[in-house]
Coordinates of all heavy atoms in Angstrom, one line a residue:
L92 N 0.9 -1.2 0.0 CA -0.1 0.0 0.0 C 0.8 1.3 0.0 O 0.5 2.2 -0.7 CB -1.0 0.0 1.2 CG -1.9 1.2 1.3 CD1 -2.8 1.2 0.2 CD2 -2.7 1.1 2.6
F93 N 2.0 1.3 0.6 CA 2.8 2.4 0.7 C 3.6 2.6 -0.5 O 4.1 3.7 -0.7 CB 3.7 2.3 2.0 CG 3.1 2.3 3.3 CD1 2.9 1.2 4.0 CD2 2.5 3.5 3.7 CE1 2.3 1.2 5.3 CE2 1.7 3.5 4.9 CZ 1.7 2.4 5.7
D94 N 3.8 1.6 -1.4 CA 4.5 1.7 -2.7 C 3.5 1.8 -3.7 O 3.9 1.6 -4.9 CB 5.4 0.6 -2.8 CG 6.5 0.6 -1.7 OD1 7.0 1.8 -1.3 OD2 7.0 -0.4 -1.3
L95 N 2.2 2.2 -3.5 CA 1.3 2.3 -4.6 C 1.7 3.3 -5.6 O 1.9 4.5 -5.2 CB -0.1 2.5 -4.0 CG -1.3 2.7 -5.0 CD1 -1.5 1.3 -5.6 CD2 -2.5 3.1 -4.2
K96 N 1.8 3.0 -6.8 CA 2.1 4.1 -7.9 C 1.0 4.1 -8.8 O 0.5 3.1 -9.5 CB 3.4 3.6 -8.6 CG 4.6 3.7 -7.7 CD 5.9 3.3 -8.5 CE 7.2 3.5 -7.8 NZ 7.2 3.2 -6.4
L97 N 0.4 5.3 -8.9 CA -0.7 5.5 -9.8 C -0.3 6.3 -11.1 O 0.6 7.1 -11.0 CB -1.8 6.4 -9.1 CG -2.5 5.8 -7.8 CD1 -3.3 6.8 -7.1 CD2 -3.3 4.6 -8.2
P98 N -1.0 6.1 -12.1 CA -0.7 7.0 -13.3 C -1.0 8.4 -13.0 O -1.9 8.6 -12.1 CB -1.6 6.4 -14.4 CG -2.6 5.7 -13.7 CD -2.1 5.2 -12.3
L99 N -0.3 9.3 -13.6 CA -0.6 10.7 -13.2 C -2.1 11.1 -13.6 O -2.8 11.7 -12.9 CB 0.3 11.6 -14.0 CG 1.8 11.6 -13.5 CD1 2.7 12.5 -14.3 CD2 1.8 11.9 -12.0
T100 N -2.5 10.6 -14.8 CA -3.9 10.8 -15.2 C -4.5 9.5 -15.7 O -3.7 8.7 -16.2 CB -4.1 11.8 -16.2 OG1 -3.3 11.6 -17.4 CG2 -3.7 13.3 -15.7
L101 N -5.8 9.3 -15.6 CA -6.4 8.1 -16.2 C -6.7 8.3 -17.6 O -6.9 9.5 -18.0 CB -7.6 7.8 -15.5 CG -7.5 7.4 -14.0 CD1 -8.8 7.2 -13.2 CD2 -6.6 6.2 -13.8
P102 N -6.8 7.3 -18.4 CA -7.2 7.6 -19.9 C -8.5 8.3 -20.0 O -9.5 8.0 -19.2 CB -7.3 6.2 -20.5 CG -6.6 5.2 -19.5 CD -6.6 5.9 -18.2
H103 N -8.6 9.2 -21.0 CA -9.8 10.0 -21.3 C -10.2 10.8 -20.0 O -11.4 11.1 -19.8 CB -11.0 9.1 -21.6 CG -10.7 8.0 -22.7 ND1 -10.4 8.5 -23.9 CD2 -10.5 6.7 -22.7 CE1 -10.1 7.4 -24.7 NE2 -10.1 6.3 -24.0
S104 N -9.3 11.3 -19.3 CA -9.6 12.2 -18.1 C -8.5 13.2 -18.0 O -7.3 13.0 -18.2 CB -9.6 11.4 -16.9 OG -9.9 12.3 -15.7
I105 N -8.9 14.4 -17.7 CA -7.9 15.5 -17.5 C -7.5 15.6 -16.0 O -6.6 16.3 -15.5 CB -8.4 16.9 -18.0 CG1 -9.5 17.3 -17.2 CG2 -8.6 16.8 -19.5 CD1 -9.8 18.9 -17.4
L106 N -8.3 14.9 -15.1 CA -8.1 14.9 -13.7 C -7.0 14.1 -13.3 O -7.0 12.9 -13.8 CB -9.4 14.6 -13.0 CG -10.6 15.5 -13.1 CD1 -11.9 14.9 -12.4 CD2 -10.3 16.9 -12.6
P107 N -6.2 14.5 -12.4 CA -5.1 13.7 -11.8 C -5.7 12.5 -11.1 O -6.8 12.7 -10.4 CB -4.3 14.6 -10.9 CG -4.7 15.9 -11.3 CD -6.0 15.9 -11.9
S108 N -5.0 11.4 -11.1 CA -5.6 10.2 -10.3 C -5.8 10.5 -8.9 O -6.8 10.0 -8.2 CB -4.6 9.0 -10.4 OG -4.4 8.6 -11.8
G109 N -4.9 11.2 -8.2 CA -5.0 11.6 -6.8 C -6.3 12.4 -6.6 O -7.0 12.3 -5.5
A110 N -6.7 13.2 -7.5 CA -7.9 14.1 -7.4 C -9.2 13.1 -7.4 O -10.1 13.5 -6.7 CB -7.9 15.1 -8.5
I111 N -9.2 12.2 -8.3 CA -10.3 11.2 -8.4 C -10.5 10.6 -7.2 O -11.6 10.4 -6.6 CB -10.2 10.3 -9.7 CG1 -10.1 11.1 -10.9 CG2 -11.2 9.2 -9.6 CD1 -9.7 10.4 -12.2
I112 N -9.3 10.0 -6.6 CA -9.4 9.2 -5.4 C -9.9 10.1 -4.2 O -10.7 9.8 -3.4 CB -8.0 8.5 -5.0 CG1 -7.8 7.4 -6.2 CG2 -8.0 7.9 -3.6 CD1 -6.3 6.9 -6.1
S113 N -9.4 11.4 -4.2 CA -9.7 12.3 -3.2 C -11.3 12.6 -3.2 O -11.9 12.7 -2.1 CB -9.0 13.6 -3.3 OG -7.5 13.3 -3.1
C114 N -11.8 12.8 -4.3 CA -13.2 13.1 -4.5 C -14.1 11.9 -4.0 O -15.1 12.0 -3.4 CB -13.6 13.4 -5.9 SG -13.0 15.1 -6.5
I115 N -13.6 10.7 -4.4 CA -14.3 9.5 -3.9 C -14.3 9.4 -2.3 O -15.3 9.2 -1.7 CB -13.7 8.2 -4.5 CG1 -14.0 8.2 -6.1 CG2 -14.3 6.9 -3.9 CD1 -13.2 7.2 -6.8
L116 N -13.2 9.6 -1.8 CA -13.1 9.6 -0.3 C -13.9 10.7 0.3 O -14.6 10.4 1.4 CB -11.6 9.6 0.1 CG -10.7 8.4 -0.2 CD1 -9.3 8.6 0.2 CD2 -11.2 7.2 0.6
L117 N -13.8 11.9 -0.3 CA -14.5 13.0 0.3 C -16.1 12.7 0.3 O -16.8 13.0 1.2 CB -14.3 14.3 -0.4 CG -15.1 15.5 0.0 CD1 -14.8 15.8 1.5 CD2 -14.7 16.7 -0.9
G118 N -16.5 12.1 -0.8 CA -18.0 11.8 -1.0 C -18.3 10.8 0.1 O -19.5 10.9 0.6
K119 N -17.6 9.7 0.3 CA -17.9 8.6 1.3 C -17.9 9.2 2.7 O -18.8 9.0 3.4 CB -16.9 7.6 1.1 CG -17.1 6.8 -0.2 CD -16.1 5.7 -0.5 CE -16.4 4.5 0.3 NZ -15.4 3.4 0.0
W120 N -16.9 10.1 3.0 CA -16.7 10.7 4.4 C -18.0 11.6 4.6 O -18.4 11.7 5.7 CB -15.5 11.3 4.5 CG -14.4 10.3 5.0 CD1 -13.3 9.7 4.3 CD2 -14.4 9.6 6.2 NE1 -12.7 8.9 4.9 CE2 -13.2 8.8 6.2 CE3 -15.0 9.6 7.4 CZ2 -12.9 7.9 7.2 CZ3 -14.8 8.8 8.5 CH2 -13.6 8.0 8.4
R121 N -18.3 12.4 3.6 CA -19.4 13.3 3.8 C -20.7 12.6 4.2 O -21.5 13.0 5.1 CB -19.7 14.2 2.5 CG -18.8 15.3 2.4 CD -19.2 16.1 1.2 NE -18.4 17.3 1.0 CZ -18.5 18.1 -0.1 NH1 -19.4 17.9 -1.1 NH2 -17.7 19.1 -0.1
A122 N -20.9 11.5 3.4 CA -22.1 10.6 3.9 C -22.0 10.1 5.2 O -23.0 10.1 6.0 CB -22.2 9.6 2.8
H123 N -20.8 9.7 5.6 CA -20.6 9.2 6.9 C -20.9 10.2 8.0 O -21.6 10.0 9.0 CB -19.2 8.6 7.2 CG -18.8 8.2 8.5 ND1 -19.4 7.2 9.2 CD2 -18.0 8.9 9.4 CE1 -18.9 7.2 10.4 NE2 -18.2 8.2 10.6
W124 N -20.2 11.4 7.8 CA -20.5 12.4 8.8 C -21.9 13.0 8.9 O -22.4 13.5 9.9 CB -19.4 13.6 8.6 CG -18.0 13.1 8.9 CD1 -17.0 13.1 8.1 CD2 -17.6 12.7 10.2 NE1 -15.9 12.6 8.8 CE2 -16.2 12.2 10.1 CE3 -18.2 12.4 11.4 CZ2 -15.5 11.8 11.1 CZ3 -17.4 11.9 12.5 CH2 -16.0 11.6 12.3
N125 N -22.6 12.9 7.7 CA -24.0 13.2 7.8 C -24.9 12.3 8.7 O -25.8 12.7 9.3 CB -24.6 13.2 6.3 CG -24.3 14.5 5.6 OD1 -24.1 15.5 6.3 ND2 -24.3 14.5 4.4
V126 N -24.4 11.0 8.6 CA -25.1 10.0 9.5 C -24.7 10.5 10.9 O -25.6 10.4 11.9 CB -24.6 8.6 9.2 CG1 -25.0 7.6 10.3 CG2 -25.0 8.2 7.9
V127 N -23.4 10.7 11.2 CA -23.0 10.9 12.7 C -23.6 12.3 13.2 O -24.2 12.4 14.3 CB -21.5 11.0 12.7 CG1 -21.0 11.5 14.1 CG2 -20.9 9.6 12.3
F128 N -23.5 13.4 12.4 CA -23.9 14.6 13.0 C -25.3 15.2 12.7 O -26.0 15.8 13.4 CB -23.0 15.7 12.5 CG -21.6 15.7 13.1 CD1 -20.5 15.2 12.3 CD2 -21.4 15.7 14.4 CE1 -19.2 15.0 12.8 CE2 -20.1 15.5 15.0 CZ -19.0 15.3 14.2
E129 N -25.8 14.8 11.4 CA -27.1 15.2 11.0 C -28.2 14.1 11.2 O -29.4 14.4 10.9 CB -27.1 15.6 9.6 CG -26.1 16.6 9.2 CD -26.3 18.0 9.9 OE1 -27.5 18.2 10.1 OE2 -25.4 18.7 10.1
E130 N -27.8 12.8 11.6 CA -28.7 11.8 11.7 C -29.5 11.4 10.6 O -30.7 11.1 10.6 CB -29.5 11.9 12.9 CG -28.8 12.1 14.3 CD -29.7 12.4 15.4 OE1 -30.9 12.3 15.3 OE2 -29.2 12.6 16.6
T131 N -28.9 11.6 9.4 CA -29.5 11.3 8.2 C -29.2 9.8 7.8 O -28.1 9.3 8.2 CB -29.1 12.2 7.0 OG1 -27.6 12.1 6.9 CG2 -29.4 13.6 7.2
P132 N -30.1 9.1 7.1 CA -29.7 7.7 6.9 C -28.7 7.5 5.8 O -28.5 8.4 5.0 CB -31.1 7.2 6.3 CG -31.9 8.2 6.0 CD -31.4 9.4 6.7
F133 N -27.9 6.5 6.1 CA -26.8 6.2 5.0 C -27.5 5.6 3.8 O -27.9 4.4 3.8 CB -25.7 5.3 5.6 CG -24.5 5.2 4.9 CD1 -23.5 6.1 4.8 CD2 -24.3 4.1 4.0 CE1 -22.3 5.9 4.0 CE2 -23.3 3.9 3.2 CZ -22.3 4.9 3.3
V134 N -27.5 6.3 2.7 CA -28.0 5.8 1.4 C -26.9 5.7 0.4 O -26.5 6.8 -0.1 CB -29.2 6.8 1.0 CG1 -29.8 6.2 -0.4 CG2 -30.2 7.0 2.1
P135 N -26.4 4.5 0.1 CA -25.3 4.4 -0.9 C -25.6 4.9 -2.2 O -24.7 5.4 -2.9 CB -25.0 2.9 -0.9 CG -25.5 2.4 0.5 CD -26.7 3.2 0.7
D136 N -26.9 4.8 -2.7 CA -27.3 5.3 -4.1 C -27.1 6.8 -4.1 O -27.1 7.3 -5.3 CB -28.7 4.9 -4.3 CG -28.9 3.4 -4.5 OD1 -27.9 2.8 -4.8 OD2 -30.0 3.0 -4.4
L137 N -27.0 7.6 -3.1 CA -26.8 8.9 -3.2 C -25.4 9.3 -3.2 O -25.1 10.5 -3.5 CB -27.6 9.7 -2.0 CG -29.1 9.5 -1.9 CD1 -29.7 10.2 -0.7 CD2 -29.7 10.0 -3.2
I138 N -24.6 8.5 -2.8 CA -23.1 8.8 -2.7 C -22.5 9.0 -4.1 O -21.7 9.9 -4.3 CB -22.3 7.8 -2.0 CG1 -22.7 7.8 -0.5 CG2 -20.8 8.0 -2.0 CD1 -22.3 6.6 0.3
V139 N -22.8 8.1 -5.1 CA -22.3 8.2 -6.4 C -22.6 9.6 -7.1 O -21.8 10.2 -7.6 CB -22.8 7.0 -7.3 CG1 -22.3 7.2 -8.7 CG2 -22.1 5.8 -6.7
P140 N -23.9 10.1 -7.1 CA -24.1 11.4 -7.6 C -23.4 12.4 -7.0 O -22.9 13.4 -7.6 CB -25.7 11.5 -7.5 CG -26.2 10.1 -7.3 CD -25.2 9.4 -6.6
S141 N -23.2 12.3 -5.6 CA -22.4 13.3 -4.9 C -21.0 13.3 -5.4 O -20.3 14.4 -5.6 CB -22.5 13.0 -3.4 OG -21.6 13.9 -2.7
I142 N -20.3 12.2 -5.5 CA -19.0 12.0 -6.1 C -19.0 12.6 -7.5 O -17.9 13.3 -7.8 CB -18.6 10.6 -6.0 CG1 -18.4 10.2 -4.4 CG2 -17.3 10.4 -6.7 CD1 -18.2 8.7 -4.3
R143 N -20.0 12.3 -8.3 CA -19.9 12.8 -9.7 C -19.9 14.5 -9.7 O -19.3 15.0 -10.4 CB -21.1 12.4 -10.5 CG -20.9 10.9 -10.9 CD -21.9 10.6 -11.9 NE -21.8 9.2 -12.3 CZ -22.8 8.2 -12.3 NH1 -24.0 8.6 -11.8 NH2 -22.6 7.1 -12.7
T144 N -20.7 15.0 -8.7 CA -20.8 16.4 -8.7 C -19.4 17.0 -8.2 O -19.0 17.9 -8.8 CB -21.8 16.8 -7.6 OG1 -23.2 16.3 -8.0 CG2 -21.9 18.2 -7.5
L145 N -18.8 16.3 -7.3 CA -17.4 16.7 -6.8 C -16.5 16.7 -8.0 O -15.7 17.6 -8.2 CB -16.9 15.9 -5.6 CG -17.6 16.0 -4.3 CD1 -17.3 14.9 -3.5 CD2 -17.2 17.4 -3.8
L146 N -16.5 15.5 -8.8 CA -15.6 15.4 -9.9 C -15.8 16.4 -11.0 O -14.9 17.0 -11.5 CB -15.6 14.0 -10.4 CG -15.1 12.9 -9.6 CD1 -15.5 11.5 -10.1 CD2 -13.5 13.0 -9.5
N147 N -17.1 16.7 -11.2 CA -17.4 17.7 -12.2 C -17.0 19.1 -11.8 O -16.5 19.9 -12.6 CB -19.0 17.8 -12.6 CG -19.4 16.6 -13.4 OD1 -18.5 15.9 -14.1 ND2 -20.6 16.1 -13.3
T148 N -17.2 19.4 -10.6 CA -16.8 20.7 -10.0 C -15.3 20.8 -10.2 O -14.8 21.9 -10.5 CB -17.2 20.9 -8.6 OG1 -18.7 20.8 -8.5 CG2 -16.8 22.2 -8.0
F149 N -14.6 19.8 -9.7 CA -13.1 19.8 -9.7 C -12.6 20.0 -11.2 O -11.7 20.8 -11.4 CB -12.6 18.6 -9.1 CG -11.1 18.6 -8.9 CD1 -10.6 18.9 -7.6 CD2 -10.2 18.3 -9.8 CE1 -9.3 19.0 -7.4 CE2 -8.8 18.3 -9.6 CZ -8.3 18.7 -8.3
Q150 N -13.2 19.3 -12.1 CA -12.8 19.4 -13.6 C -13.1 20.7 -14.1 O -12.3 21.4 -14.8 CB -13.6 18.4 -14.4 CG -13.2 18.4 -15.8 CD -13.8 17.3 -16.6 OE1 -14.3 16.3 -16.1 NE2 -13.7 17.2 -17.9
K151 N -14.3 21.4 -13.8 CA -14.5 22.7 -14.3 C -13.5 23.7 -13.7 O -13.1 24.7 -14.4 CB -15.9 23.2 -13.8 CG -17.0 22.5 -14.6 CD -18.3 22.8 -14.1 CE -19.4 22.1 -14.8 NZ -20.8 22.3 -14.3
E152 N -13.2 23.6 -12.4 CA -12.2 24.4 -11.8 C -10.8 24.3 -12.4 O -10.1 25.3 -12.7 CB -12.1 24.2 -10.2 CG -13.3 24.7 -9.5 CD -13.3 24.4 -8.1 OE1 -12.3 23.8 -7.6 OE2 -14.2 24.8 -7.4
L153 N -10.4 23.1 -12.7 CA -9.2 22.8 -13.4 C -9.1 23.4 -14.8 O -8.1 24.0 -15.2 CB -9.0 21.2 -13.5 CG -7.6 20.8 -14.1 CD1 -6.4 21.3 -13.2 CD2 -7.6 19.3 -14.1
L154 N -10.2 23.2 -15.6 CA -10.3 23.8 -16.8 C -10.2 25.4 -16.8 O -9.6 26.0 -17.7 CB -11.6 23.3 -17.6 CG -11.6 21.9 -18.0 CD1 -13.0 21.5 -18.6 CD2 -10.5 21.6 -19.1
L155 N -11.0 26.0 -15.8 CA -10.8 27.4 -15.7 C -9.4 27.9 -15.4 O -9.0 28.8 -15.9 CB -11.8 27.8 -14.6 CG -11.8 29.3 -14.4 CD1 -12.5 30.1 -15.6 CD2 -12.8 29.7 -13.1
S156 N -8.8 27.1 -14.5 CA -7.4 27.5 -14.2 C -6.4 27.4 -15.4 O -5.3 27.9 -15.4 CB -6.9 26.7 -12.9 OG -6.7 25.3 -13.3
M157 N -6.7 26.4 -16.3 CA -5.9 26.2 -17.4 C -6.1 27.1 -18.5 O -5.4 27.2 -19.5 CB -6.0 24.7 -17.9 CG -5.5 23.6 -16.9 SD -6.0 22.0 -17.2 CE -5.7 21.8 -19.1
S158 N -7.3 27.8 -18.5 CA -7.6 28.6 -19.7 C -6.8 29.8 -19.8 O -6.1 30.2 -18.8 CB -9.1 29.0 -19.5 OG -9.2 30.0 -18.5
A159 N -6.7 30.4 -20.9 CA -5.8 31.6 -21.1 C -6.4 32.8 -20.7 O -5.8 33.8 -20.4 CB -5.4 31.6 -22.6
L160 N -7.8 32.8 -20.6 CA -8.5 34.0 -20.2 C -8.7 34.1 -18.7 O -9.0 33.1 -18.1 CB -9.8 34.0 -20.9 CG -9.9 34.1 -22.4 CD1 -11.3 34.1 -22.9 CD2 -9.1 35.4 -22.9
P161 N -8.5 35.1 -18.1 CA -8.7 35.2 -16.8 C -10.2 35.2 -16.5 O -11.0 35.6 -17.2 CB -8.2 36.6 -16.2 CG -8.2 37.4 -17.5 CD -8.0 36.4 -18.6
P162 N -10.7 34.7 -15.3 CA -12.1 34.8 -15.0 C -12.7 36.1 -15.0 O -11.9 37.1 -14.6 CB -12.2 34.1 -13.6 CG -10.8 34.2 -13.0 CD -10.0 34.3 -14.1
P163 N -13.9 36.4 -15.3 CA -14.5 37.8 -15.4 C -14.5 38.3 -14.0 O -14.8 37.7 -13.0 CB -15.9 37.5 -15.9 CG -16.2 36.1 -15.6 CD -14.9 35.3 -15.6
D164 N -14.2 39.6 -13.9 CA -14.2 40.4 -12.7 C -15.7 41.0 -12.5 O -16.0 42.0 -13.2 CB -13.1 41.4 -12.6 CG -13.1 42.1 -11.3 OD1 -13.7 41.7 -10.4 OD2 -12.3 43.1 -11.3
V165 N -16.5 40.4 -11.7 CA -17.9 40.9 -11.6 C -18.0 42.1 -10.6 O -19.0 42.7 -10.6 CB -18.9 39.8 -11.1 CG1 -19.0 38.7 -12.2 CG2 -18.4 39.2 -9.8
F166 N -17.0 42.4 -9.9 CA -17.0 43.4 -8.9 C -16.3 44.7 -9.4 O -15.7 45.4 -8.5 CB -16.4 43.0 -7.5 CG -17.2 41.9 -7.0 CD1 -16.8 40.6 -7.0 CD2 -18.5 42.2 -6.4 CE1 -17.6 39.6 -6.4 CE2 -19.3 41.2 -6.0 CZ -18.9 39.9 -5.9
T167 N -16.3 45.0 -10.7 CA -15.7 46.2 -11.1 C -16.6 47.4 -10.8 O -17.8 47.2 -10.6 CB -15.4 46.2 -12.6 OG1 -16.7 46.0 -13.3 CG2 -14.5 45.0 -13.1
S168 N -16.0 48.6 -10.6 CA -16.9 49.8 -10.3 C -17.9 50.0 -11.4 O -19.0 50.5 -11.2 CB -15.9 50.9 -10.1 OG -15.2 51.3 -11.2
H169 N -17.4 49.7 -12.7 CA -18.6 49.9 -13.8 C -19.8 49.0 -13.6 O -20.9 49.4 -13.8 CB -17.7 49.7 -15.1 CG -18.7 49.7 -16.3 ND1 -19.3 51.0 -16.7 CD2 -19.3 48.8 -17.1 CE1 -20.0 50.7 -17.7 NE2 -20.1 49.4 -18.0
N170 N -19.5 47.8 -13.2 CA -20.6 46.9 -13.1 C -21.5 47.2 -11.9 O -22.6 47.1 -11.9 CB -20.2 45.4 -12.9 CG -19.6 44.8 -14.3 OD1 -19.9 45.3 -15.3 ND2 -18.8 43.8 -14.2
I171 N -20.8 47.7 -10.8 CA -21.6 48.0 -9.7 C -22.4 49.3 -9.8 O -23.6 49.3 -9.4 CB -20.5 48.2 -8.4 CG1 -20.0 46.8 -8.0 CG2 -21.4 48.8 -7.2 CD1 -19.0 47.0 -7.0
Q172 N -21.8 50.2 -10.5 CA -22.6 51.5 -10.8 C -23.8 51.3 -11.8 O -24.9 52.0 -11.6 CB -21.7 52.5 -11.4 CG -20.6 53.0 -10.4 CD -19.7 54.0 -11.1 OE1 -19.7 54.1 -12.3 NE2 -18.8 54.6 -10.3
N173 N -23.8 50.4 -12.6 CA -24.8 50.1 -13.6 C -25.8 49.0 -13.2 O -26.5 48.6 -14.0 CB -24.1 49.7 -15.1 CG -23.5 50.8 -15.6 OD1 -23.8 52.1 -15.3 ND2 -22.4 50.7 -16.4
N174 N -25.5 48.5 -12.0 CA -26.5 47.4 -11.6 C -27.7 48.0 -11.0 O -27.6 48.7 -10.0 CB -25.7 46.6 -10.5 CG -26.4 45.4 -10.0 OD1 -27.7 45.3 -10.4 ND2 -25.9 44.6 -9.2
P175 N -28.9 47.7 -11.6 CA -30.2 48.3 -11.0 C -30.5 47.9 -9.7 O -31.2 48.4 -9.0 CB -31.2 47.9 -12.1 CG -30.6 46.7 -12.8 CD -29.1 46.8 -12.7
L176 N -29.9 46.7 -9.2 CA -30.2 46.1 -7.9 C -29.4 46.7 -6.8 O -29.7 46.5 -5.6 CB -30.1 44.6 -7.9 CG -30.9 43.9 -8.9 CD1 -30.6 42.3 -9.0 CD2 -32.4 44.1 -8.6
A177 N -28.3 47.4 -7.2 CA -27.4 47.9 -6.2 C -27.9 49.3 -5.5 O -28.7 50.0 -6.2 CB -26.0 48.2 -6.8

């Protein structure tokens, strides 16, 4: 177990192997801690969609960080002055 060597990425995925394993563990632990602290039932069928959401979020963040364009700045003074809700 201590000499486990994973490929950096899996085929057809841009996510690092470690990130995939981390998302799986996080999804399982979240379900466990919901049982402990929120007294919600442990439903294995809900863990997989939760893990998929974590993986999709991680992939979107990775793609955003790899893009050449910076994320839009929504808090510019121009946007705040022209916002009818402000």
Side-chain angles (χ1 to χ4, degrees):
L92 180 64
F93 295 108
D94 293 327
L95 182 64
K96 291 184 175 36
L97 297 171
L99 292 179
T100 58
L101 297 175
H103 309 294
S104 175
I105 64 164
L106 295 176
S108 300
I111 294 171
I112 292 171
S113 297
C114 288
I115 293 169
L116 289 173
L117 177 59
K119 292 172 80 172
W120 276 108
R121 276 185 179 173
H123 169 73
W124 290 119
N125 279 334
V126 170
V127 172
F128 292 113
E129 305 294 331
E130 297 180 5
T131 58
F133 187 84
V134 182
D136 292 338
L137 297 179
I138 297 173
V139 173
S141 171
I142 292 170
R143 282 191 183 127
T144 301
L145 288 168
L146 289 168
N147 286 333
T148 302
F149 194 94
Q150 182 173 350
K151 288 177 185 176
E152 290 175 357
L153 183 62
L154 288 172
L155 182 63
S156 70
M157 291 170 40
S158 71
L160 300 174
D164 186 9
V165 294
F166 296 108
T167 62
S168 60
H169 175 72
N170 288 344
I171 292 172
Q172 290 173 354
N173 294 331
N174 185 354
L176 299 176

